[in-house]
């Protein structure tokens, strides 16, 4: 499938800076206080933006990309905390699906993560985009790539017991704060998506030691993967 225009989102400045350095013919506009940069990367039309942290920011940005800029696919790239104990800092997770771990209506009898009265609470990534991401990740970081469930919530997870629950109860590979919102909006609009996360920490309370350092490394890894995907689309 050919994607005419691709939206690329990162939550933080570090996650989009390398794209800015390599884009050509950039046109800058602003919508809902988010800066959108339309341009070319490897001859592909992309719209790059920094959503800001959290699910609301991510959802708004995704809908704007669809409605205002007419993107045909969305890639969210950036860092996450590892939940699967087999993952280490620097490893890559490509989303098989996304779930909101902080959606909790268990008091009314709904399983944790379930959005009441919606058709689904589990948002599946696009098969072709997922395979492009896996191929790129494997070529660049062979042996350090996992396809798995991305868990999202408006919480920075830093507790070992919480991490264990997210992995065991919700089958999460990693946890972050935007992916499931992007995935849900894409699902509602029938827009293909994939979430690509590089592990910046183990989500176990040690992030204050390594987060800043490894965020730069992980952001670089994520950029290289998306760059490779665009080259081969």
């Amino acid at each position: 499938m050919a994607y005419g225009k691709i939206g690329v989102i990162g939550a933080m400045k570090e996650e989009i800076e390398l794209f800015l350095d390599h884009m050509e013919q950039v046109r800058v506009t602003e919508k809902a206080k988010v800066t959108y940069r339309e341009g070319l990367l490897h001859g592909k039309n992309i719209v790059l933006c920094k959503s800001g942290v959290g699910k609301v920011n991510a959802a708004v940005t995704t809908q704007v990309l669809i409605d205002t800029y007419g993107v045909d696919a969305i890639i969210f790239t950036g860092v996450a905390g590892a939940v699967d104990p087999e993952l280490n800092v620097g490893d890559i997770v490509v989303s098989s699906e996304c779930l909101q771990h902080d959606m909790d209506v268990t008091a009314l009898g709904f399983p944790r993560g379930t959005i009441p009265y919606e058709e689904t609470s589990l948002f599946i990534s696009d098969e072709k985009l997922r395979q492009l991401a896996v191929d790129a990740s494997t070529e660049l970081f062979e042996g350090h790539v996992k396809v798995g469930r991305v868990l999202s919530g408006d919480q920075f997870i830093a507790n070992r017991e919480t991490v264990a629950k997210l992995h065991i109860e919700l089958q999460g590979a990693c946890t972050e704060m935007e992916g499931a919102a992007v995935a849900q909006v894409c699902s509602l609009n029938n827009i293909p998506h994939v979430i690509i996360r590089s592990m910046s920490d183990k989500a176990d309370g040690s992030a204050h030691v390594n987060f800043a350092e490894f965020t730069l490394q992980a952001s670089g890894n994520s950029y290289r993967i998306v760059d490779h995907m665009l080259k081969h689309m």
Side-chain angles (χ1 to χ4, degrees), residues 90-102:
D91 287 349
I92 306 298
V93 172
V94 176
S95 66
S96 52
E97 67 267 335
C98 292
L99 180 75
Q100 295 181 54
H101 69 76
D102 63 346

Side-chain angles (χ1 to χ4, degrees), residues 50 55 58 61 82 148 171 179 196 203 215:
K50 175 174 72 78
K55 292 187 297 180
T61 301
Q171 296 83 54
I196 302 164
T215 290

Side-chain angles (χ1 to χ4, degrees), residues 86-150:
E86 294 183 358
L87 289 168
N88 293 302
V89 171
D91 287 349
I92 306 298
V93 172
V94 176
S95 66
S96 52
E97 67 267 335
C98 292
L99 180 75
Q100 295 181 54
H101 69 76
D102 63 346
M103 178 60 69
D104 188 347
V105 197
T106 52
L108 297 181
F110 293 93
R112 183 178 175 184
T114 298
I115 305 169
Y117 318 120
E118 295 293 328
E119 288 183 5
T120 184
S121 304
L122 197 62
F123 302 102
I124 311 298
S125 61
D126 178 70
E127 185 177 354
K128 291 184 175 65
L129 286 176
R130 186 194 316 139
Q131 193 59 54
L132 275 169
V134 169
D135 291 346
S137 303
T138 301
E139 184 169 326
L140 294 167
F141 307 104
E142 187 173 2
H144 296 276
V145 183
K146 183 180 185 66
V147 177
R149 180 174 295 178
V150 174

Side-chain angles (χ1 to χ4, degrees), residues 8 19 22-23 31-34 45 52-53 139 145 154 178 183 199 214 227 231:
V8 179
F19 292 95
H22 294 89
M23 286 178 67
K31 183 82 171 178
K33 296 189 177 180
V34 173
N45 290 307
V53 173
E139 184 169 326
V145 183
D154 288 322
E178 296 86 24
M199 302 303 101
F214 288 117
D227 184 70
K231 284 180 184 176

